[in-house]
Amino acid sequence: MRIVLLTGPGGDAQGWGDMKVTDSMREALESLGHPARIAYVADEAEFFRLLDRRDFDIVWSALYHITPNEAFIGRNAAGTWVADVMDERRIPYIGSDSRTMRAMIDKFETHEILAAAGVAVPAHVLLRPGDDASAVTFPAFVKPMCESRSVGISDESVVHDKAELRRRVAFIGKEFDEPALVEEFLPGDEYTALVLGNGRTRECLPGLVTVEETHYHRYRILRSDLRGVGLTRISLAGARTEESRAICDAAAEAMGCLDHVRIDMRVDRAGRLRIIEVNGIPGLKPHKSWAPQIYTLYHGSPEGEEEDYRRLIGAIAEAAGRRYGL
Ligand SMILES: Nc1ncnc2c1ncn2[C@@H]1O[C@H](COP(=O)(O)OP(=O)(O)OP(=O)(O)O)[C@@H](O)[C@H]1O
Ligand SMILES: [Mg+2]
Protein backbone atom coordinates (compact mmCIF):
# COMPACT_ATOMS: atom_id res chain seq x y z
CA MET A 1 0.00 0.00 0.00
CA ARG A 2 1.77 3.17 -1.22
CA ILE A 3 1.00 5.94 1.26
CA VAL A 4 1.32 9.68 0.84
CA LEU A 5 1.64 11.64 4.10
CA LEU A 6 0.05 14.97 3.26
CA THR A 7 1.04 18.00 5.29
CA GLY A 8 1.57 21.74 4.89
CA PRO A 9 1.81 24.99 6.84
CA GLY A 10 -1.09 23.89 9.07
CA GLY A 11 0.30 20.40 9.80
CA ASP A 12 1.24 21.12 13.39
CA ALA A 13 -1.76 23.29 14.32
CA GLN A 14 -4.37 21.09 12.63
CA GLY A 15 -2.87 17.65 12.58
CA TRP A 16 -0.57 15.03 14.00
CA GLY A 17 2.47 17.34 14.48
CA ASP A 18 5.47 18.93 12.79
CA MET A 19 7.74 17.59 10.02
CA LYS A 20 9.74 15.53 12.50
CA VAL A 21 6.58 13.70 13.55
CA THR A 22 5.61 13.23 9.91
CA ASP A 23 9.02 11.72 9.28
CA SER A 24 8.63 9.32 12.22
CA MET A 25 5.37 8.14 10.68
CA ARG A 26 7.01 7.73 7.29
CA GLU A 27 9.83 5.65 8.81
CA ALA A 28 7.36 3.49 10.73
CA LEU A 29 5.29 2.83 7.60
CA GLU A 30 8.37 2.04 5.49
CA SER A 31 9.66 -0.40 8.10
CA LEU A 32 6.30 -2.19 7.93
CA GLY A 33 6.62 -2.60 4.17
CA HIS A 34 4.33 0.26 3.14
CA PRO A 35 6.19 2.59 0.76
CA ALA A 36 5.54 6.04 2.20
CA ARG A 37 6.51 9.56 1.21
CA ILE A 38 5.81 13.01 2.54
CA ALA A 39 4.04 15.62 0.42
CA TYR A 40 4.25 19.13 1.87
CA VAL A 41 1.74 21.27 0.00
CA ALA A 42 2.07 25.01 0.53
CA ASP A 43 -1.18 25.88 -1.20
CA GLU A 44 -4.16 24.55 -3.11
CA ALA A 45 -2.36 24.46 -6.46
CA GLU A 46 0.30 22.11 -5.03
CA PHE A 47 -2.38 19.99 -3.42
CA PHE A 48 -4.22 19.51 -6.72
CA ARG A 49 -0.95 18.79 -8.57
CA LEU A 50 -0.21 16.03 -6.08
CA LEU A 51 -3.60 14.45 -6.61
CA ASP A 52 -3.31 14.71 -10.40
CA ARG A 53 -0.10 12.66 -10.34
CA ARG A 54 -1.86 9.92 -8.39
CA ASP A 55 1.29 7.85 -7.84
CA PHE A 56 0.03 6.44 -4.51
CA ASP A 57 -2.74 4.20 -3.22
CA ILE A 58 -3.93 6.11 -0.18
CA VAL A 59 -3.54 9.55 1.42
CA TRP A 60 -2.95 10.20 5.11
CA SER A 61 -3.55 13.87 5.79
CA ALA A 62 -2.41 16.04 8.70
CA LEU A 63 -4.63 18.75 7.30
CA TYR A 64 -8.37 19.22 7.60
CA HIS A 65 -8.16 22.01 5.07
CA ILE A 66 -5.51 23.77 3.01
CA THR A 67 -4.51 27.10 4.55
CA PRO A 68 -1.39 29.23 5.04
CA ASN A 69 -2.40 29.68 8.72
CA GLU A 70 0.33 28.06 10.84
CA ALA A 71 -0.90 29.34 14.17
CA PHE A 72 -4.35 27.86 14.57
CA ILE A 73 -7.01 25.87 12.74
CA GLY A 74 -9.52 28.62 11.99
CA ARG A 75 -12.93 28.08 10.46
CA ASN A 76 -11.93 28.38 6.80
CA ALA A 77 -15.58 27.84 5.87
CA ALA A 78 -15.06 28.62 2.19
CA GLY A 79 -11.66 26.88 1.92
CA THR A 80 -10.63 23.60 0.31
CA TRP A 81 -11.31 20.69 2.66
CA VAL A 82 -9.02 17.72 2.04
CA ALA A 83 -11.60 14.99 2.68
CA ASP A 84 -14.16 16.75 0.46
CA VAL A 85 -11.75 16.63 -2.46
CA MET A 86 -10.87 13.00 -1.75
CA ASP A 87 -14.52 12.03 -1.77
CA GLU A 88 -15.16 13.94 -5.01
CA ARG A 89 -12.23 12.24 -6.73
CA ARG A 90 -12.83 8.87 -5.06
CA ILE A 91 -9.29 8.75 -3.69
CA PRO A 92 -8.80 6.44 -0.67
CA TYR A 93 -7.72 8.19 2.54
CA ILE A 94 -6.95 7.27 6.11
CA GLY A 95 -9.36 8.56 8.75
CA SER A 96 -12.96 9.64 8.93
CA ASP A 97 -14.95 10.81 5.92
CA SER A 98 -15.51 14.45 5.07
CA ARG A 99 -18.87 14.78 6.82
CA THR A 100 -17.42 13.41 10.06
CA MET A 101 -14.18 15.42 9.75
CA ARG A 102 -16.17 18.64 9.45
CA ALA A 103 -18.38 17.65 12.38
CA MET A 104 -15.38 16.87 14.58
CA ILE A 105 -13.62 20.16 13.89
CA ASP A 106 -16.79 22.02 14.87
CA LYS A 107 -17.18 21.30 18.58
CA PHE A 108 -20.73 22.66 18.63
CA GLU A 109 -21.83 20.30 15.89
CA THR A 110 -20.07 17.42 17.68
CA HIS A 111 -22.08 18.21 20.81
CA GLU A 112 -25.31 18.37 18.83
CA ILE A 113 -24.72 15.02 17.10
CA LEU A 114 -23.71 13.32 20.34
CA ALA A 115 -26.59 14.78 22.36
CA ALA A 116 -29.07 13.64 19.70
CA ALA A 117 -27.62 10.12 19.98
CA GLY A 118 -27.99 10.14 23.78
CA VAL A 119 -24.25 10.50 24.48
CA ALA A 120 -23.46 12.75 27.47
CA VAL A 121 -21.96 16.15 26.57
CA PRO A 122 -21.83 19.35 28.66
CA ALA A 123 -24.73 21.81 28.48
CA HIS A 124 -23.61 24.16 25.72
CA VAL A 125 -24.48 27.17 23.61
CA LEU A 126 -22.74 28.93 20.73
CA LEU A 127 -22.30 32.69 21.20
CA ARG A 128 -21.07 35.51 18.99
CA PRO A 129 -20.31 38.93 20.43
CA GLY A 130 -23.61 40.67 21.16
CA ASP A 131 -25.71 37.47 21.28
CA ASP A 132 -28.28 36.96 24.03
CA ALA A 133 -26.56 35.00 26.82
CA SER A 134 -29.53 34.38 29.09
CA ALA A 135 -29.31 30.57 28.63
CA VAL A 136 -25.86 30.41 30.24
CA THR A 137 -25.51 29.22 33.83
CA PHE A 138 -22.35 29.89 35.85
CA PRO A 139 -19.57 28.93 36.24
CA ALA A 140 -19.21 28.42 32.49
CA PHE A 141 -16.27 27.52 30.25
CA VAL A 142 -15.66 29.57 27.09
CA LYS A 143 -13.55 28.29 24.19
CA PRO A 144 -13.09 28.74 20.45
CA MET A 145 -15.50 26.62 18.42
CA CYS A 146 -12.87 24.78 16.40
CA GLU A 147 -9.38 24.92 17.85
CA SER A 148 -7.01 22.33 19.28
CA ARG A 149 -3.92 22.06 21.53
CA SER A 150 -5.75 24.21 24.10
CA VAL A 151 -5.31 27.24 21.84
CA GLY A 152 -7.31 30.10 23.42
CA ILE A 153 -7.62 28.31 26.76
CA SER A 154 -6.43 29.77 30.06
CA ASP A 155 -7.85 30.33 33.54
CA GLU A 156 -9.77 33.23 31.94
CA SER A 157 -11.83 30.61 30.07
CA VAL A 158 -13.73 30.00 33.31
CA VAL A 159 -16.32 32.78 33.71
CA HIS A 160 -18.57 33.52 36.67
CA ASP A 161 -20.97 36.21 35.53
CA LYS A 162 -22.37 37.95 32.46
CA ALA A 163 -19.63 40.60 32.34
CA GLU A 164 -16.80 38.01 32.34
CA LEU A 165 -18.68 35.97 29.76
CA ARG A 166 -19.13 38.98 27.47
CA ARG A 167 -15.41 39.80 27.69
CA ARG A 168 -14.34 36.26 26.89
CA VAL A 169 -16.72 35.86 23.95
CA ALA A 170 -15.36 39.15 22.55
CA PHE A 171 -11.78 37.87 23.03
CA ILE A 172 -12.52 34.64 21.11
CA GLY A 173 -14.15 36.58 18.27
CA LYS A 174 -11.26 39.02 18.02
CA GLU A 175 -8.43 36.51 18.36
CA PHE A 176 -9.75 33.68 16.18
CA ASP A 177 -12.66 35.13 14.22
CA GLU A 178 -14.74 32.23 15.56
CA PRO A 179 -17.93 31.99 17.58
CA ALA A 180 -17.36 30.98 21.21
CA LEU A 181 -18.56 27.64 22.48
CA VAL A 182 -19.84 28.18 26.01
CA GLU A 183 -20.15 25.03 28.10
CA GLU A 184 -21.04 24.19 31.67
CA PHE A 185 -17.81 24.08 33.68
CA LEU A 186 -16.80 20.46 34.30
CA PRO A 187 -14.83 20.47 37.56
CA GLY A 188 -13.81 16.79 37.73
CA ASP A 189 -11.00 14.59 36.39
CA GLU A 190 -10.00 14.56 32.73
CA TYR A 191 -9.75 11.46 30.54
CA THR A 192 -8.83 10.84 26.94
CA ALA A 193 -9.33 7.69 24.90
CA LEU A 194 -7.64 6.39 21.79
CA VAL A 195 -10.27 4.82 19.56
CA LEU A 196 -8.63 2.48 17.09
CA GLY A 197 -9.98 0.41 14.21
CA ASN A 198 -13.42 -0.09 12.73
CA GLY A 199 -16.59 -2.07 13.26
CA ARG A 200 -16.37 -5.08 15.52
CA THR A 201 -12.61 -4.76 15.88
CA ARG A 202 -12.83 -1.16 17.12
CA GLU A 203 -11.06 -0.69 20.47
CA CYS A 204 -11.56 2.16 22.95
CA LEU A 205 -8.48 2.65 25.12
CA PRO A 206 -9.11 5.25 27.83
CA GLY A 207 -6.51 6.99 29.99
CA LEU A 208 -6.56 9.44 32.89
CA VAL A 209 -4.80 12.74 32.12
CA THR A 210 -3.03 14.41 35.03
CA VAL A 211 -0.72 17.34 35.64
CA GLU A 212 1.17 17.80 38.89
CA GLU A 213 -1.06 19.96 41.11
CA THR A 214 1.57 22.69 41.53
CA HIS A 215 1.33 23.55 37.82
CA TYR A 216 -2.33 24.49 38.04
CA HIS A 217 -3.20 28.05 38.93
CA ARG A 218 -6.86 28.68 39.79
CA TYR A 219 -8.45 25.76 37.92
CA ARG A 220 -7.52 22.16 37.18
CA ILE A 221 -7.74 22.63 33.43
CA LEU A 222 -5.24 21.98 30.64
CA ARG A 223 -4.25 25.56 29.87
CA SER A 224 -2.38 26.19 26.62
CA ASP A 225 0.90 26.71 28.50
CA LEU A 226 0.62 23.21 30.01
CA ARG A 227 0.30 21.49 26.62
CA GLY A 228 3.16 20.17 24.53
CA VAL A 229 5.80 20.81 27.20
CA GLY A 230 5.96 17.36 28.79
CA LEU A 231 3.86 18.21 31.86
CA THR A 232 0.81 16.03 31.21
CA ARG A 233 0.81 12.40 32.32
CA ILE A 234 -1.36 9.53 31.11
CA SER A 235 -2.25 6.55 33.25
CA LEU A 236 -4.86 3.80 33.09
CA ALA A 237 -8.45 4.96 33.64
CA GLY A 238 -9.00 2.70 36.69
CA ALA A 239 -12.57 2.73 38.00
CA ARG A 240 -13.66 4.88 35.02
CA THR A 241 -12.49 2.34 32.43
CA GLU A 242 -15.82 0.72 31.60
CA GLU A 243 -17.84 3.95 31.70
CA SER A 244 -15.37 5.76 29.43
CA ARG A 245 -15.16 2.83 27.03
CA ALA A 246 -18.93 2.72 26.69
CA ILE A 247 -19.34 6.46 26.16
CA CYS A 248 -16.47 6.63 23.64
CA ASP A 249 -17.75 3.65 21.70
CA ALA A 250 -21.20 5.26 21.50
CA ALA A 251 -19.64 8.57 20.45
CA ALA A 252 -17.47 7.01 17.72
CA GLU A 253 -20.55 5.21 16.42
CA ALA A 254 -22.74 8.33 16.47
CA MET A 255 -20.09 10.43 14.71
CA GLY A 256 -19.20 7.73 12.17
CA CYS A 257 -15.48 7.83 13.04
CA LEU A 258 -13.07 5.72 11.01
CA ASP A 259 -9.62 4.20 11.69
CA HIS A 260 -8.59 6.29 14.69
CA VAL A 261 -9.68 9.29 16.74
CA ARG A 262 -8.95 10.54 20.25
CA ILE A 263 -11.89 11.45 22.45
CA ASP A 264 -11.55 13.85 25.39
CA MET A 265 -13.81 13.64 28.45
CA ARG A 266 -14.26 15.32 31.82
CA VAL A 267 -16.28 14.55 34.90
CA ASP A 268 -19.20 16.89 35.63
CA ARG A 269 -20.45 18.24 38.98
CA ALA A 270 -22.61 15.17 39.49
CA GLY A 271 -19.69 12.77 38.94
CA ARG A 272 -20.66 11.67 35.40
CA LEU A 273 -18.32 11.57 32.42
CA ARG A 274 -19.10 13.92 29.57
CA ILE A 275 -17.45 14.08 26.18
CA ILE A 276 -15.83 17.42 25.44
CA GLU A 277 -14.50 16.69 21.97
CA VAL A 278 -13.60 14.13 19.33
CA ASN A 279 -10.21 14.76 17.71
CA GLY A 280 -10.23 13.64 14.08
CA ILE A 281 -6.47 13.99 13.52
CA PRO A 282 -4.88 13.36 16.92
CA GLY A 283 -1.24 14.14 17.68
CA LEU A 284 1.14 11.29 16.82
CA LYS A 285 4.46 12.45 18.21
CA PRO A 286 6.45 9.39 19.32
CA HIS A 287 6.60 9.02 23.15
CA LYS A 288 4.93 12.41 23.68
CA SER A 289 1.46 12.52 22.17
CA TRP A 290 -1.33 10.96 24.18
CA ALA A 291 -2.32 8.42 21.49
CA PRO A 292 1.09 6.66 21.38
CA GLN A 293 1.35 6.82 25.18
CA ILE A 294 -2.05 5.19 25.59
CA TYR A 295 -1.23 2.54 23.00
CA THR A 296 1.85 1.60 25.05
CA LEU A 297 -0.20 1.46 28.26
CA TYR A 298 -2.49 -1.15 26.72
CA HIS A 299 -0.34 -2.87 24.10
CA GLY A 300 3.24 -2.25 25.27
CA SER A 301 5.66 -4.70 23.62
CA PRO A 302 8.78 -6.22 25.17
CA GLU A 303 10.79 -4.35 22.50
CA GLY A 304 9.75 -0.95 23.90
CA GLU A 305 8.03 2.26 22.89
CA GLU A 306 9.58 2.58 19.45
CA GLU A 307 8.14 -0.76 18.45
CA ASP A 308 4.78 0.18 20.01
CA TYR A 309 4.77 3.32 17.87
CA ARG A 310 5.42 1.30 14.72
CA ARG A 311 2.56 -1.01 15.61
CA LEU A 312 0.18 1.89 16.31
CA ILE A 313 0.97 3.60 13.00
CA GLY A 314 0.61 0.25 11.24
CA ALA A 315 -2.71 -0.48 12.96
CA ILE A 316 -4.17 2.85 11.83
CA ALA A 317 -3.00 2.55 8.23
CA GLU A 318 -4.02 -1.08 7.97
CA ALA A 319 -7.50 -0.39 9.39
CA ALA A 320 -7.98 2.06 6.51
CA GLY A 321 -6.39 -0.31 3.99
CA ARG A 322 -8.84 -3.04 4.95
CA ARG A 323 -11.82 -0.73 4.34
CA TYR A 324 -10.62 -0.12 0.80
CA GLY A 325 -9.38 -3.66 0.14
CA LEU A 326 -5.80 -2.39 -0.29
N1 LIG B 1 -16.44 22.41 29.83
C1 LIG B 1 -15.22 22.38 30.35
N2 LIG B 1 -15.04 22.45 31.69
C2 LIG B 1 -13.81 22.43 32.24
N3 LIG B 1 -12.67 22.34 31.54
C3 LIG B 1 -12.77 22.25 30.20
C4 LIG B 1 -14.05 22.26 29.53
N4 LIG B 1 -13.81 22.16 28.20
C5 LIG B 1 -12.48 22.10 28.04
N5 LIG B 1 -11.84 22.16 29.24
C6 LIG B 1 -10.38 22.17 29.46
O1 LIG B 1 -9.74 22.79 28.35
C7 LIG B 1 -8.89 21.87 27.67
C8 LIG B 1 -8.97 22.05 26.16
O2 LIG B 1 -10.30 21.84 25.73
P1 LIG B 1 -10.66 20.95 24.46
O3 LIG B 1 -10.24 19.56 24.67
O4 LIG B 1 -12.06 21.21 24.10
O5 LIG B 1 -9.76 21.68 23.41
P2 LIG B 1 -8.59 21.39 22.44
O6 LIG B 1 -7.77 22.61 22.54
O7 LIG B 1 -9.27 21.09 21.19
O8 LIG B 1 -7.77 20.13 22.79
P3 LIG B 1 -7.04 19.04 21.82
O9 LIG B 1 -5.65 19.46 21.67
O10 LIG B 1 -7.21 17.87 22.66
O11 LIG B 1 -7.73 18.96 20.51
C9 LIG B 1 -9.37 20.50 28.09
O12 LIG B 1 -8.32 19.58 28.00
C10 LIG B 1 -9.84 20.76 29.53
O13 LIG B 1 -8.79 20.71 30.47
MG1 LIG C 1 -8.88 18.33 23.77
Side-chain angles (χ1 to χ4, degrees), residues 51-122:
L51 299 187
D52 288 340
R53 280 199 300 276
R54 193 67 194 270
D55 51 359
F56 52 82
D57 300 308
I58 193 164
V59 173
W60 195 350
S61 179
L63 306 171
Y64 289 96
H65 54 75
I66 310 290
T67 165
N69 188 348
E70 288 183 25
F72 54 92
I73 296 177
R75 272 185 305 158
N76 203 22
T80 297
W81 288 69
V82 171
D84 284 357
V85 177
M86 300 296 159
D87 283 351
E88 256 164 48
R89 298 195 177 199
R90 296 175 191 278
I91 297 173
Y93 58 99
I94 292 171
S96 307
D97 73 8
S98 61
R99 187 186 51 89
T100 302
M101 281 291 187
R102 277 174 181 270
M104 289 188 288
I105 205 72
D106 178 335
K107 293 176 182 177
F108 179 76
E109 195 181 339
T110 298
H111 283 351
E112 295 289 289
I113 293 171
L114 295 183
V119 180
V121 294

Side-chain angles (χ1 to χ4, degrees), residues 107 122 141 143 147-151 153 183-186 190 220-222 227 262 264 266 276-277 279 290:
K107 293 176 182 177
F141 194 87
K143 59 188 172 187
E147 291 307 322
S148 175
R149 305 184 301 168
S150 292
V151 162
I153 288 170
E183 298 175 347
E184 77 179 274
F185 178 63
L186 304 167
E190 181 147 344
R220 297 173 71 244
I221 58 169
L222 300 178
R227 300 285 299 268
R262 210 199 70 233
D264 296 342
R266 275 179 79 99
I276 54 176
E277 63 155 346
N279 293 289
W290 291 339

Side-chain angles (χ1 to χ4, degrees), residues 12-324:
D12 202 8
Q14 296 186 32
W16 55 58
D18 60 15
M19 274 308 247
K20 211 166 153 222
V21 176
T22 310
D23 207 48
S24 306
M25 294 167 64
R26 187 192 58 74
E27 263 176 38
L29 290 165
E30 287 276 348
S31 75
L32 292 162
H34 301 300
R37 69 189 172 85
I38 298 172
Y40 182 97
V41 301
D43 54 31
E44 289 175 8
E46 285 188 19
F47 172 54
F48 287 117
R49 271 202 296 280
L50 168 78
L51 299 187
D52 288 340
R53 280 199 300 276
R54 193 67 194 270
D55 51 359
F56 52 82
D57 300 308
I58 193 164
V59 173
W60 195 350
S61 179
L63 306 171
Y64 289 96
H65 54 75
I66 310 290
T67 165
N69 188 348
E70 288 183 25
F72 54 92
I73 296 177
R75 272 185 305 158
N76 203 22
T80 297
W81 288 69
V82 171
D84 284 357
V85 177
M86 300 296 159
D87 283 351
E88 256 164 48
R89 298 195 177 199
R90 296 175 191 278
I91 297 173
Y93 58 99
I94 292 171
S96 307
D97 73 8
S98 61
R99 187 186 51 89
T100 302
M101 281 291 187
R102 277 174 181 270
M104 289 188 288
I105 205 72
D106 178 335
K107 293 176 182 177
F108 179 76
E109 195 181 339
T110 298
H111 283 351
E112 295 289 289
I113 293 171
L114 295 183
V119 180
V121 294
H124 59 278
V125 47
L126 201 60
L127 292 183
R128 291 174 186 80
D131 280 356
D132 170 32
S134 51
V136 177
T137 55
F138 298 99
F141 194 87
V142 186
K143 59 188 172 187
M145 184 183 76
C146 53
E147 291 307 322
S148 175
R149 305 184 301 168
S150 292
V151 162
I153 288 170
S154 67
D155 278 358
E156 310 293 313
S157 307
V158 186
V159 297
H160 301 87
D161 56 42
K162 287 210 160 120
E164 286 182 7
L165 172 64
R166 206 173 320 115
R167 274 202 295 279
R168 199 63 191 172
V169 170
F171 165 82
I172 301 287
K174 188 161 153 277
E175 203 74 6
F176 305 104
D177 189 25
E178 282 174 35
L181 178 60
V182 183
E183 298 175 347
E184 77 179 274
F185 178 63
L186 304 167
D189 285 340
E190 181 147 344
Y191 294 83
T192 192
L194 169 65
V195 180
L196 191 58
N198 300 307
R200 280 193 306 156
T201 58
R202 182 168 65 210
E203 286 188 288
C204 295
L205 309 174
L208 170 70
V209 182
T210 51
V211 172
E212 211 182 284
E213 289 293 329
T214 54
H215 294 296
Y216 291 127
H217 298 151
R218 280 181 74 188
Y219 304 103
R220 297 173 71 244
I221 58 169
L222 300 178
R223 306 184 313 261
S224 54
D225 59 305
L226 297 177
R227 300 285 299 268
V229 288
L231 289 177
T232 59
R233 300 274 170 271
I234 293 270
S235 52
L236 289 170
R240 292 278 184 189
T241 302
E242 284 321 309
E243 183 190 2
S244 51
R245 277 204 158 126
I247 185 177
C248 288
D249 196 59
E253 195 60 38
M255 299 291 290
C257 299
L258 295 173
D259 306 335
H260 76 134
V261 291
R262 210 199 70 233
I263 301 186
D264 296 342
M265 297 154 274
R266 275 179 79 99
V267 175
D268 70 9
R269 248 177 321 189
R272 275 187 67 196
L273 270 179
R274 292 186 182 263
I275 289 190
I276 54 176
E277 63 155 346
V278 183
N279 293 289
I281 314 179
L284 288 173
K285 189 173 186 173
H287 316 294
K288 297 283 190 273
S289 291
W290 291 339
Q293 289 193 40
I294 292 178
Y295 189 82
T296 291
L297 278 181
Y298 284 87
H299 296 305
S301 64
E303 293 86 348
E305 277 186 37
E306 231 161 273
E307 172 61 16
D308 305 341
Y309 186 74
R310 251 164 49 87
R311 292 184 188 180
L312 168 62
I313 296 298
I316 298 167
E318 284 151 24
R322 272 194 298 278
R323 290 192 291 112
Y324 290 105

